[in-house]
Amino acid sequence: MDTIRSRERTWCGAALAVLMTAGTLTVAAPGARADTARTETPVTVSSPAAGVRESGERESGVLESGVLESGVLESMVRVKVPLPESAGPRPAACDWLSYLRYRAADGPAAAAEADRILVAQPGILEGAGAFDSVARNTVAAAAAQGRHIEFWALDRRSNCLEDRTGIASGDQHTAVDYYYRGKQVEGRTFEGFADNGQLGWMARLGIEQTVRDQYDLLAAELPDQKLRKNKVLCGGHSLGGVVTGYFAAADFDGNPATTADAGYNQCAGYFALDTTVSTSLADLSGSIPDDTNLPDTGLGYGVVQAGLDSGVLPRSLSAPVLLNPETMTLLAIAGIGALQDPGAEADLPRYLPSGLNIEATNRFLFSKDTAAFLTGSPGVKDFRLTNEAVLGALMDDNSVPLAFLQSSVGFFDGGPIADKDFPVANGGQEQPGLFGTEYKAIPARPQGPLYTWRDYDRVGDADDPGYRSADGTPFTEAGKEVTDIQELARSLAEQPLDFTEQYFPTKLVTDLELATSPQVKKLVAHPDGLTANPTLTVLAGDGLLAGRVPSDLNPVVADGYQHLDVLTAAPAQNDGRPEPVSTHLAGFAGDPR
């Protein structure tokens, strides 16, 4: 595995490296039990799949009490699990743990009475909202098989800092004005994106606290350990698979000789979504570039921890392009437009205020070549795009040049298309794991036609132009498109817990980079816990492990899927088959072996 001492890495590696190299170990340190404060709030969302007009425009309907047409009910649960006083001053919201709870509408109201409960850890820079589609699909698939299961999408504690007031307004201009222009929404003013000086309490949000939070949450929600061992499946996406590995090897009462509290005894089985359940990052390795604010772990555990405690080192990871709270918020704002008026011409690129982070992100994501990146011309403001096309440009695997952000949601339409040869040219071999395997495309005519978006299930239709690269390679095909852009927009814009993660604790990365230090190495108390339960591994065929699938794990491979598609894929696929990730998760929930 590469370390941060490698200096030949480029700043473009920020996203993938940070995404894939922050693991979570676990600790047996005892802690105070959570007090009993708990809230559960029904979540009301739109149903993008409610119908399709003859014109091809999608209808959206709002369904009450969190129930979609699939018969799945969603709620947001918050449980008070205070940090120790030694953590220091922090917002009151940060003494609560949150998750999204999905269950069958005709199933039992009490989680303990469900047939099975899947508990999912997010990847880095990822929030609970990212699991929206796979959670719904899995619960619905199990119900079709006669079982009532639940899916709990966990949110990391540091997401307590996020303010969704502007996003919750459901209006793009209102959201932009709230986050970037200081305007009020319903009497509330945004306090600004938190800086390092406000994040002192995050200095110790590392490996130990992350797995401790999962244990305390499970113990609070399901107090019977034997029930947890019988009904809970533990897993996650991307980094979440590694977190699950360390959770499985954990001891939570400080005495390894007693095993009822051991991590593996809280789970009946494990599941991994485009990752592996492991205490090794070999399958998810990447290089961390110099441009991130990640400290040099060559300094040693004690020096790094002192730097985090003092604030000399940054307590939250960020980078100038996309990977910072200011720009990550834009994904949800783009989702609002795609939901509210998908076919209308977007004004979001022009309505946003100018600034270094936003300008750098626009150039990185929407430059045809190096010259366009350096000059800013032509830029995204020079093209006419629908609201759906803006979101597609930000998230689709044929557009965004960062593999960990890619999903397969369709393709541009409505005008001529050109090869996108920045940051790397199509057909090259430069770091495919970083940029993804698919050819990148971009609208070719600034100030030209209105570019629209062809959703995943219309790729390959009779009216599809079948766009090709200059070398004749088709940019995409029906078998490689799996995610409904409207479902993706819903997950980004309507979930009460974010799809993305604005404040990822640096300590999670530094702990893992220092995994051989005594302070971290001692935290894996039950290494045999990794093999103590059956495991389901589901990999994206074109994801981060493409070309190096660990066959010894007997994985299910979802052909044509990108890294995010294992979470966002639509229930109805272009090949006429059931969606494979949720189908196998539902089957595993029925018989985990």
Side-chain angles (χ1 to χ4, degrees), residues 484-506:
D484 186 326
I485 196 168
Q486 284 291 296
E487 288 191 23
L488 179 61
R490 179 188 68 197
S491 300
L492 284 163
E494 292 192 339
Q495 290 302 312
L497 301 179
D498 273 344
F499 187 109
T500 57
E501 181 176 32
Q502 296 179 7
Y503 301 97
F504 182 85
T506 301

Side-chain angles (χ1 to χ4, degrees), residues 330-454:
L330 296 178
L331 295 177
I333 295 177
I336 293 174
L339 276 181
Q340 297 300 318
D341 204 349
E345 184 169 354
D347 70 348
L348 179 61
R350 288 174 287 278
Y351 193 75
L352 287 168
S354 60
L356 175 61
N357 285 338
I358 292 176
E359 178 63 20
T361 297
N362 282 340
R363 291 196 190 190
F364 180 67
L365 297 181
F366 210 83
S367 290
K368 179 182 183 299
D369 49 32
T370 303
F373 175 75
L374 294 175
T375 65
S377 180
V380 65
K381 298 178 184 179
D382 298 315
F383 293 86
R384 299 179 61 215
L385 306 168
T386 64
N387 286 314
E388 274 194 339
V390 168
L391 181 59
L394 291 172
M395 299 292 290
D396 188 66
D397 57 344
N398 294 115
S399 177
V400 64
L402 296 173
F404 81 94
L405 270 179
Q406 293 173 358
S407 56
S408 306
V409 295
F411 198 74
F412 292 108
D413 207 349
I417 300 296
D419 286 88
K420 186 177 187 291
D421 291 326
F422 179 84
V424 295
N426 283 333
Q429 299 298 317
E430 295 89 344
Q431 300 184 49
L434 173 60
F435 299 112
T437 58
E438 300 304 310
Y439 275 39
K440 305 299 181 285
I442 191 169
R445 190 176 297 169
Q447 313 301 338
L450 178 63
Y451 284 91
T452 59
W453 192 258
R454 179 172 290 267

Side-chain angles (χ1 to χ4, degrees), residues 105-165:
D106 62 350
E113 297 177 10
D115 294 320
R116 201 78 68 188
I117 304 164
L118 285 74
V119 178
Q121 279 279 356
I124 199 171
L125 303 176
E126 194 171 88
F131 289 95
D132 180 42
S133 289
V134 71
R136 294 183 190 281
N137 295 345
T138 302
V139 172
Q145 299 167 4
R147 290 186 293 274
H148 292 131
I149 70 170
E150 298 201 5
F151 194 114
W152 296 2
L154 305 184
D155 217 32
R156 254 185 291 275
R157 186 184 288 268
S158 53
N159 289 350
C160 63
L161 296 170
E162 296 172 3
D163 178 356
R164 288 191 58 82
T165 303

Side-chain angles (χ1 to χ4, degrees), residues 192-215:
F193 298 108
D195 59 33
N196 196 47
Q198 299 170 287
L199 304 179
W201 66 278
M202 285 179 57
R204 293 180 180 267
L205 275 189
I207 294 163
E208 175 179 356
Q209 191 63 53
T210 298
V211 294
R212 166 60 61 179
D213 283 349
Q214 179 172 347
Y215 178 82

